[in-house]
């Protein structure tokens, strides 16, 4: 990390991803390769995340993750609890012989998973867009 | 060998698989290529590959079988398997990719800057892979027995199935590496989905209607095949009704009459259908659309928690996230996975219902033979196969045989690569020969694939000799792998990624407690089955509900007690920031415009 708290992007295993990698000379044999990304991409001055920004986005994304997981957990646990409470939930057919309990577990739950997934992915991506990064030239 | 078509289909699949790997053989020149397909797998392709990897024989044949046998309680396997990806998406998909590591042990070792964490994780990865591999290979032997029926070179069909599968998968993984495996898994997923769709379409063509079938199967109490002795058949239960009288409430008139005729002719044993016990509402007669066949309320919740947490800790699934192009692409892949899983499991569940409703109609009432008791399938995992046979004959069965092998091949290939990555990257490259050439590293990875496959095959071949009628089913052993993964890894991932104060002491304590508690519970189940001792507990098959919270407490407790704050700022910035991805995107834009390096 430099004085500004920006990340020296890299780590033990951070190789530059092709097709970018193919355009760049490999580091000398035996040298650590963590600086490859930075050499390629203009160094840490080009664009960086400060620790304060990343902390803020991590808190925000974690909070959303917990909220969405609470919704899913509630949905998942409500079904067996309703089934335990009584036959009005699991024994009354709503379409042919299909009961609401069966339809919920076999079909509706999957719609809920996909809906939560799409919403969360959008919200998390938007948070990162809004809270991280700078306009070009504001390095 | 009864019919050559299933064998031809299986061989066709194998040849296609090897051709794909051969075509992509040049994509294994570096360890990044061999283990991670150069991190260039797009979201949809990765989603299909994840589905190929994830939907093993337990999903393809097991879910339909579980629904067939137990109705609503069986559907929970499908829902739980899918729900696990919600946890992955919400907390781990993007961090897994952004960390930029090779494997689960690599991910944890870099987070906690600890070789001890790496080695602990390697040991747990190997245990999970073995727990998952053995039932897959056992499944390969069983499927060969069922579909092909003959052995090669004097070997039994079971042995032939295991050995040929292992050889084909090892060649595929060694030659094509992760890129070849990715394309193969995606194609194999397509084949599985296509097979389910075709069987459904043919069932509908034969008059299947979901709502009518549900009504049909709910008319009678849910019946379970059972072989009872002559004495037992006349024994009364607490309500004063004999076993035969109970059987009469669930059997067809034809089936019941045949059983009574057998007894009158002096048979010492007879096959009956008996009403299932209701675990949720013990006084209520259980029907197909109602809960309670398998689980009480707490067991139901334990199953949900185990499947919910297990997916995130499976090494062959997390490895696929390391191949994504970016954190955002990893999220997109998971959204696709949830959509594809919803469709896949919709068909799998539907076919379980179809088998229950339509087999008696297609066979006629009262059929009892090696496969059926009163037209109810004896071994639930065969329900989809027997339905297929009745609907479309050998040609359709050939398609399903190819899909069933695809389910095994894709999962086993993913598991072998996960094991090889942890041996090759985490043990060989980190501890044994850190200065090995790239060529030597790849050779070691290829050897690791071969050795792991050989060990799993040896255990798979020994399974018929060491087990008895109390042996755990394929699906149950897979659930144990979920339980171990969800208990030992998932709490450490979640706290490691989202709690800065987690440290190496906490990680080691969490993994050790999670693994020990979950394996302890699984051990009570296994020992109880083998010895008959009543030591199994209600959560022995789904121990994550106990083990995962204990592991989380261990992570927090040991991290706080250990005191030392390990500096993980760089890792934290990398995993939760997007600077590298933005800079890579800028660079790609720049080079696309014809600009040079900055």
């Amino acid at each position: 990390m430099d004085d500004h708290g920006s990340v020296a992007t890299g780590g033990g295993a951070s190789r530059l991803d092709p097709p970018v990698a193919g355009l760049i000379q490999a580091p000398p044999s035996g040298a650590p390769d963590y600086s490859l990304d930075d050499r390629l991409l203009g160094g840490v001055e080009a664009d960086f995340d400060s620790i304060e920004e990343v902390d803020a986005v991590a808190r925000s994304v974690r909070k959303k993750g917990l909220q969405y997981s609470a919704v899913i957990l509630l949905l998942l646990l409500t079904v067996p609890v309703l089934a335990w409470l009584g036959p009005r939930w699991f024994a009354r057919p709503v379409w042919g012989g299909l009961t609401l309990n069966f339809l919920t577990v076999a079909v509706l739950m999957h719609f809920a998973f996909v809906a939560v997934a799409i919403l969360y992915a959008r919200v998390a991506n938007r948070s990162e867009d809004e809270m991280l990064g700078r306009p070009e030239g504001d390095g | 060998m009864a019919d050559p078509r299933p064998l031809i289909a299986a061989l066709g699949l194998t040849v296609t698989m090897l051709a794909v790997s051969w075509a992509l053989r040049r994509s294994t020149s570096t360890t990044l290529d061999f283990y991670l397909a150069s991190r260039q797998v797009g979201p949809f392709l990765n989603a299909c590959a994840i589905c190929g990897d994830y939907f093993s024989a337990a999903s393809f044949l097991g879910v339909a079988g579980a629904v067939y046998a137990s109705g609503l309680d069986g559907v929970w396997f499908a829902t739980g398997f899918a729900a696990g990806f919600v946890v992955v998406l919400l907390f781990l998909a993007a961090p897994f990719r952004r960390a930029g590591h090779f494997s689960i042990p690599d991910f944890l070792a870099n987070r906690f800057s600890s070789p001890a964490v790496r080695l602990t994780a390697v040991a747990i990865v190997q245990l999970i892979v073995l727990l998952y591999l053995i039932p897959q290979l056992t499944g390969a032997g069983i499927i060969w027995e069922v579909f092909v029926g003959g052995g090669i070179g004097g070997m039994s069909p079971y042995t032939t199935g295991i050995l040929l599968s292992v050889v084909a998968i090892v060649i595929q993984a060694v030659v094509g590496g992760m890129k070849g495996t990715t394309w193969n898994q995606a194609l194999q997923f397509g084949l599985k989905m296509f097979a389910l769709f075709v069987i459904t379409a043919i069932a509908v063509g034969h008059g299947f209607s979901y709502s009518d079938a549900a009504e049909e199967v709910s008319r009678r109490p849910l019946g379970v095949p059972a072989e009872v002795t002559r004495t037992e058949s006349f024994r009364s239960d607490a309500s004063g009704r004999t076993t035969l009288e109970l059987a009469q409430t669930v059997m067809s008139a034809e089936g019941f009459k045949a059983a009574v005729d057998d007894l009158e002719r002096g048979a010492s044993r007879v096959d009956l259908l008996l009403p299932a016990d209701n675990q949720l509402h013990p006084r209520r007669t259980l029907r197909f659309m109602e809960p309670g066949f398998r689980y009480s309320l707490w067991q139901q919740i334990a199953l949900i928690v185990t499947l919910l947490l297990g997916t995130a800790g499976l090494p062959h699934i997390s490895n696929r996230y390391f191949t994504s192009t970016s954190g955002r692409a990893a999220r997109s892949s998971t959204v696709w996975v949830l959509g594809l899983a919803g469709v896949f499991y919709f068909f799998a569940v539907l076919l379980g219902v179809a088998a229950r409703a339509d087999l008696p109609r297609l066979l006629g009432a009262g059929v009892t033979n090696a496969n059926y008791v009163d037209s109810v399938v004896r071994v639930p995992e065969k329900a989809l196969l027997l339905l297929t046979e009745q609907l479309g004959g050998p040609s359709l069965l050939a398609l399903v045989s190819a899909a069933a092998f695809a389910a095994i091949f894709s999962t086993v290939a993913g598991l072998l690569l996960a094991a090889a990555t942890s041996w090759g990257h985490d043990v060989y490259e980190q501890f044994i020969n850190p200065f090995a050439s790239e060529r030597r590293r790849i050779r070691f990875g290829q050897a690791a694939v071969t050795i792991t496959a050989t060990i799993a095959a040896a255990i798979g071949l020994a399974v018929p000799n060491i087990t008895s009628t109390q042996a755990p089913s394929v699906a149950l052993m897979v659930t144990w792998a979920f339980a171990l993964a969800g208990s030992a890894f998932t709490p450490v991932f979640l706290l490691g990624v989202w709690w800065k104060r987690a440290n190496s002491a906490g990680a080691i304590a969490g993994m050790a407690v999670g693994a020990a508690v979950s394996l302890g519970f699984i051990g009570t189940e296994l020992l109880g089955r083998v010895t008959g001792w009543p030591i199994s507990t209600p959560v022995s098959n789904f121990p994550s509900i106990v083990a995962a919270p204990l592991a989380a407490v261990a992570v927090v407790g040991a991290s706080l007690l250990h005191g030392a704050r390990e500096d993980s700022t760089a890792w934290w910035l990398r995993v939760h920031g997007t600077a590298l991805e933005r800079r890579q995107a800028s660079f790609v834009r720049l080079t696309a415009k014809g600009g040079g390096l900055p």
Side-chain angles (χ1 to χ4, degrees), chain A residues 39-90:
Chain A
R39 289 191 291 108
L40 285 169
L41 299 169
V44 292
E45 297 83 7
D47 193 359
F48 63 88
D49 296 321
S50 72
I51 186 69
E52 293 79 14
E53 290 170 332
V54 170
D55 276 345
V57 84
R59 275 196 301 274
S60 166
V61 173
R62 180 176 61 195
K63 186 179 172 190
K64 286 171 183 112
L66 288 171
Q67 288 168 341
Y68 282 91
S69 60
V71 170
I72 288 295
L73 199 60
L74 196 68
L75 276 175
L76 283 168
L77 296 185
T78 299
V79 175
V81 170
L82 283 175
W84 176 65
L85 287 175
R88 294 182 73 172
W89 165 248
F90 64 73

Side-chain angles (χ1 to χ4, degrees), chain B residues 416-438:
Chain B
L416 289 179
L417 273 173
T421 312
S422 71
W423 281 125
H425 181 75
D426 296 303
V427 177
Y428 181 72
E429 293 176 25
Q430 304 296 324
F431 297 101
I432 298 174
N433 191 357
F435 301 105
S437 67
E438 198 73 358

Side-chain angles (χ1 to χ4, degrees), chain B residues 283-342:
Chain B
R283 291 181 184 175
R284 187 178 171 86
T285 302
L286 189 68
R287 290 175 195 276
F288 188 85
M289 288 283 144
E290 300 183 6
F293 178 85
R294 287 169 184 254
Y295 313 117
S296 65
L297 175 65
W298 291 111
Q299 286 172 318
Q300 184 84 80
I301 291 171
L303 170 71
I304 291 169
V305 171
T306 296
L307 296 182
L308 203 58
L309 294 177
T311 308
L314 293 174
H316 60 305
I317 299 303
S318 52
N319 267 29
R320 291 237 48 98
Y321 283 93
F322 302 140
T323 68
S324 284
T325 52
S326 67
R328 194 166 288 200
R331 281 192 189 124
S332 298
S333 290
T334 320
V335 175
W336 275 111
V337 167
L338 282 161
L340 294 170

Side-chain angles (χ1 to χ4, degrees), chain A residues 12-14, chain B residues 36 39 99-112 117-118 121-122 322 421-422 425-426 430 571:
Chain A
S14 75
Chain B
L36 299 178
R39 299 196 203 280
H101 302 309
F102 270 72
S103 62
I104 280 183
D106 201 31
F107 178 82
L108 292 173
N110 277 283
R111 163 63 179 86
F112 297 108
V117 167
R118 189 185 294 273
V122 166
F322 302 140
T421 312
S422 71
H425 181 75
D426 296 303
Q430 304 296 324
W571 193 89

Side-chain angles (χ1 to χ4, degrees), chain B residues 79-90:
Chain B
T79 310
F81 284 144
F85 280 101
V86 179
V87 176
V88 175
L89 171 69
L90 297 183

Side-chain angles (χ1 to χ4, degrees), chain A residues 17-18 49 62 105 125 129, chain B residues 40 79 97 328 331 498 579:
Chain A
D17 297 344
D49 296 321
R62 180 176 61 195
V105 182
N125 290 346
D129 286 343
Chain B
Q40 285 299 298
T79 310
R97 171 57 188 92
R328 194 166 288 200
R331 281 192 189 124
W498 296 103

